[in-house]
């Protein structure tokens, strides 16, 4: 990952490959954002005009390169768009605008050794946002690039290495709040990027057992307790949902429990993640065109894993338990069939009408397992339904809950960290569509409102009286389009920052 430093140095004397500055959209054209005063001065105060001549407007996502002025040690100035200039000059720039701009610059500077970021900094919040933007924007996944015979040249052959070092100007290296904001950004983004790696890993390598093994290595470093239930233990425990879904694959399922507890913890949060390492649909097989990206179906579990490790690294005064429901959904002679009835861990029976509605089956067992500890709240994260993508598009996740105030709190936490989210209802009338002739409930209901039907199914497996929210991240978990802002192509690490924020708010006593 990119190494970050805080620097009070002045831009002209900095030895770097580039100086990154901000340009905002003003009423009469682009305006140079605070932080770039030295660069503007060296352009005789005419930088805004120069940028306009080069076609810059200050729009979000825009990037303009220009030669550094005479006397600068760095050869290049990279101007990134910040969007609309804040109405009030003292208001400062929105954290998400800084995060995106820093991400765009970091992405454009891949292959460079060092860049100085001279973006507007008005406090630790801005430092954290710029740090996150750099670390997330510089991400690349090249573990599988370059043949073994050419391993040493892999980077050179297949693309540029990520930006090696970023100095954040305006950051105060001796200021505790600035240092703290940077340390938080590093901890959260290292774990978030690890979640992206897991999502991007091909499913022939990331089996449920391999995923479980990886969590053990990482957890040991950070004082997290890991318990893995393998297929034998799942049979013994009666986890019919996870076993049913995993039964068609040669790679057997797992349920992983990650426990982090600060000695001063007063509240207990449980995170539950859908971890389908590959979703072929099973006997209700997905058609070609719908299965190429289904390695991403473990994004919820990856997010939960990353969030628990980040909470531990940040030493949050809270108890966080992560549950990863890991299985591969494959068709075979031992696969669950449409028409089968599964006896779930909760004791309820489920008629499987469509084996492609598998996420809710593994989550049901994990939600019930999480409920047995009676946590203060449960949040599950899942790439659960195509219907949620139809409703909210590819960048926004849906939030459902059995408690209106909690749903609002989760939605606000998401918006606060820069993750677009939207509240969705759980209409009671949709429950009867899942009535089954033979079992307590079916895993399919009405077609319309499919994302809400899935939420209603999950609600049945949350322990009585426990506050619960469900994040359907089917849209934002995997970016099939080009990179934008600090979001790369492929695995995005969706929901990690929201979960970490929820753990922080709980630790501070501001949630529930
Ligand atoms: N993993 C899919 C949902 C999904 C679709 C995630 C596209 C990401 C991108 C899930 O298991 C699934 O197949 N859901 C079905 C449910 C249906 C059979 C009730 C769906 O949404 O079509
Ligand atoms: Mn499916
Ligand atoms: Zn799935």
């Amino acid at each position: 990952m990119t190494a970050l430093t805080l620097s009070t140095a002045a831009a002209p004397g900095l030895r770097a490959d580039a100086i990154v500055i901000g340009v905002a959209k003003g009423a009469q054209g682009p305006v140079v954002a605070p932080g770039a005063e030295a660069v503007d001065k060296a352009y005789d105060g005419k930088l805004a005009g120069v940028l306009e001549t080069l076609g810059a407007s200050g729009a979000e996502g825009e990037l303009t390169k220009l030669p550094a002025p005479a006397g600068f040690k760095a050869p290049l100035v990279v101007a990134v768009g910040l969007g609309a200039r804040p109405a009030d000059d003292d208001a400062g720039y929105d954290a998400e605008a800084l995060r995106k701009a820093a991400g765009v610059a970091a992405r454009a500077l891949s292959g460079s050794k060092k860049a100085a970021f001279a973006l507007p900094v008005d406090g630790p919040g801005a430092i954290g946002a710029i740090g996150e933007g750099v670390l997330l924007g510089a991400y690349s996944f090249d573990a599988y690039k370059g043949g073994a015979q050419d391993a040493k040249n892999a980077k050179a052959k297949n693309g540029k290495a990520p930006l090696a070092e970023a100095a954040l100007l305006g950051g105060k290296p001796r200021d505790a709040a600035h240092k703290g904001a940077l340390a938080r950004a590093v901890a959260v983004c290292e774990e978030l990027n690890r979640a992206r790696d897991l999502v991007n890993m091909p499913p022939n390598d990331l089996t449920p057992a391999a995923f479980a093994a990886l969590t053990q290595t990482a957890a040991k470093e950070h004082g997290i307790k890991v318990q893995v239930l393998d297929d034998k233990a799942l049979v013994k425990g009666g986890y019919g949902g996870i076993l049913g879904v995993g039964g068609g694959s040669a790679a057997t399922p797992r349920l992983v429990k990650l426990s982090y507890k600060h000695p001063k913890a007063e509240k207990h949060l449980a995170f539950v993640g859908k971890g389908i390492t590959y979703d072929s649909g099973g006997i209700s097989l997905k058609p070609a065109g719908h299965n190429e990206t289904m390695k991403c179906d473990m994004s919820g579990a990856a997010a939960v894993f990353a969030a628990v490790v980040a909470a531990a690294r940040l030493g949050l005064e809270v108890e966080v338990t992560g549950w990863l429901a890991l299985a591969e959904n494959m068709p075979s002679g031992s696969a669950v069939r449409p028409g089968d009835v599964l006896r779930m861990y909760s004791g309820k029976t489920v008629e499987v009408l469509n084996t492609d509605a598998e996420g809710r089956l593994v989550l049901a067992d994990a939600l019930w397992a999480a409920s047995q500890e009676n946590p203060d709240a449960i949040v599950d994260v899942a790439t659960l339904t195509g219907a949620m993508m139809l409703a909210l598009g590819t960048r926004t996740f849906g939030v459902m809950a059995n408690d209106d105030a909690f749903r609002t709190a989760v939605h606000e936490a998401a918006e606060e960290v820069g993750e677009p989210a939207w509240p969705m209802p759980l209409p009671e009338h949709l429950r009867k569509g899942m009535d089954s002739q033979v079992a307590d409930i079916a895993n399919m209901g009405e077609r319309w409102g499919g994302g809400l039907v899935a939420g209603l199914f999950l609600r049945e497996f949350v322990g009585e009286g426990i506050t619960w929210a469900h994040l359907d991240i089917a849209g934002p978990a995997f970016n099939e389009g080009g990179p934008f802002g600090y979001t790369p192509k492929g695995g995005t690490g969706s929901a990690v920052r929201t979960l970490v924020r929820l753990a922080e708010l709980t630790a501070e006593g501001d949630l529930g």
Side-chain angles (χ1 to χ4, degrees):
M1 265 208 348
T2 313
L4 294 184
T5 54
L6 299 172
S7 168
T8 50
L14 261 165
R15 276 181 211 286
D17 300 304
I19 313 270
V20 177
I21 63 166
V23 47
K25 244 181 141 122
Q28 269 98 39
V31 289
V32 178
E37 289 83 1
V39 182
D40 191 21
K41 196 173 158 212
Y43 270 99
D44 292 330
K46 294 185 180 122
L47 183 53
V50 172
L51 286 166
E52 192 166 20
T53 306
L54 290 169
S57 70
E60 232 177 50
E62 182 186 270
L63 183 127
T64 312
K65 290 183 178 179
L66 59 163
F72 270 59
K73 293 237 162 74
L76 180 71
V77 170
V78 173
V80 277
L82 287 165
R85 175 191 204 176
D88 174 358
D89 263 347
D90 300 329
Y93 282 80
D94 173 52
E96 182 63 0
L98 293 173
R99 214 176 271 124
K100 283 183 184 158
V104 168
R107 219 157 15 83
L109 287 165
S110 64
S112 301
K113 287 215 169 63
K114 181 173 177 178
F117 283 70
L119 293 170
V121 171
D122 60 358
I127 289 294
I130 296 166
E132 286 176 20
V134 171
L135 296 174
L136 299 180
Y139 173 84
S140 75
F141 182 72
D142 35 32
Y144 289 80
K145 290 280 200 179
Q149 75 280 24
D150 200 25
K152 276 192 199 127
N153 284 323
K155 290 267 166 65
K157 224 179 125 191
N158 292 287
K160 297 170 182 169
L163 172 65
E165 191 186 337
L168 310 192
L169 307 192
K172 302 178 192 147
R174 280 185 198 84
D175 182 304
H178 281 215
K179 277 197 297 190
L182 193 69
R184 180 189 183 277
V186 170
V188 173
C189 295
E190 266 177 12
E191 298 313 319
L192 192 155
N193 283 339
R194 195 209 301 270
R196 288 172 170 179
D197 280 347
L198 288 168
V199 175
N200 290 329
M201 251 176 98
N204 55 335
D205 278 354
L206 193 74
T207 59
F211 194 155
L214 280 171
T215 65
Q216 278 169 319
T217 321
K220 258 187 217 139
E221 286 171 36
H222 303 291
I224 294 163
K225 210 171 104 199
V226 185
Q227 283 166 274
V228 179
L229 298 190
D230 63 11
D231 48 329
K232 280 200 196 95
L234 291 169
V235 171
K236 216 168 149 208
Y239 293 82
I242 297 174
L243 287 165
V245 172
S249 172
T252 52
R254 298 287 184 276
L255 177 64
V256 176
K257 178 186 178 187
L258 305 164
S259 313
Y260 161 70
K261 187 176 183 180
H262 191 281
K264 288 192 203 149
E266 282 174 10
K267 294 273 183 184
H268 181 192
L269 264 184
F271 295 152
V272 174
K274 170 176 173 181
I276 300 298
T277 57
Y278 183 70
D279 182 11
S280 72
I283 298 292
S284 314
L285 195 64
K286 286 181 188 293
H290 290 262
N291 52 23
E292 294 82 355
T293 60
M294 278 303 138
K295 66 175 183 180
C296 82
D297 216 17
M298 36 54 72
S299 295
V304 166
F305 171 44
V308 175
V309 179
R313 285 180 62 169
L314 296 172
L316 302 181
E317 290 188 12
V318 63
E319 177 176 3
V320 184
T321 310
W323 299 86
L324 318 183
L326 309 176
E328 186 180 41
N329 188 21
M330 295 289 270
S332 80
S334 59
V336 68
R337 317 157 187 77
D340 279 355
V341 172
L342 301 175
R343 185 169 292 279
M344 311 295 277
Y345 182 51
S346 78
K348 276 194 181 150
T349 54
V350 177
E351 183 183 13
V352 177
L353 291 179
N354 188 321
T355 65
D356 200 9
E358 84 297 339
R360 64 198 74 183
L361 298 173
V362 298
L363 286 170
D365 280 357
L367 283 167
W368 189 253
S371 297
Q372 299 321 295
E373 301 192 324
N374 210 19
D376 294 291
I378 301 178
V379 180
D380 79 68
V381 187
T383 46
L384 205 57
T385 65
M388 197 55 59
M389 297 181 75
L390 286 175
L392 297 177
T394 56
R395 295 192 186 181
T396 305
F397 61 73
V399 186
M400 284 146 270
N402 61 2
D403 178 292
D404 289 349
F406 191 59
R407 187 187 56 236
T408 302
V410 172
H411 178 208
E412 285 174 358
E415 296 284 350
E416 188 188 336
V417 296
E419 295 205 283
W422 204 253
M424 299 297 271
L426 293 172
E428 295 298 337
H429 74 92
L430 289 176
R431 169 60 185 85
K432 68 174 182 307
M434 290 183 284
D435 285 349
S436 162
Q437 287 288 319
V438 293
D440 297 329
I441 189 170
N443 78 331
M444 281 263 296
E446 239 176 79
R447 175 172 168 234
W448 306 113
L452 320 179
V453 171
L456 282 164
F457 181 94
L458 296 181
R459 193 181 67 174
E460 306 266 327
F461 296 89
V462 176
E464 188 74 33
I466 301 177
T467 305
W468 156 81
H470 158 57
L471 314 185
D472 191 337
I473 61 167
F478 198 80
N479 176 21
E480 290 186 55
F484 60 93
Y486 52 86
T487 305
K489 207 172 159 61
T492 62
S494 176
V496 172
R497 288 177 297 140
T498 299
L499 294 182
V500 172
R501 189 68 198 131
L502 289 173
E504 283 176 339
L505 289 167
T506 305
E508 291 157 13
D510 292 333
L511 193 82

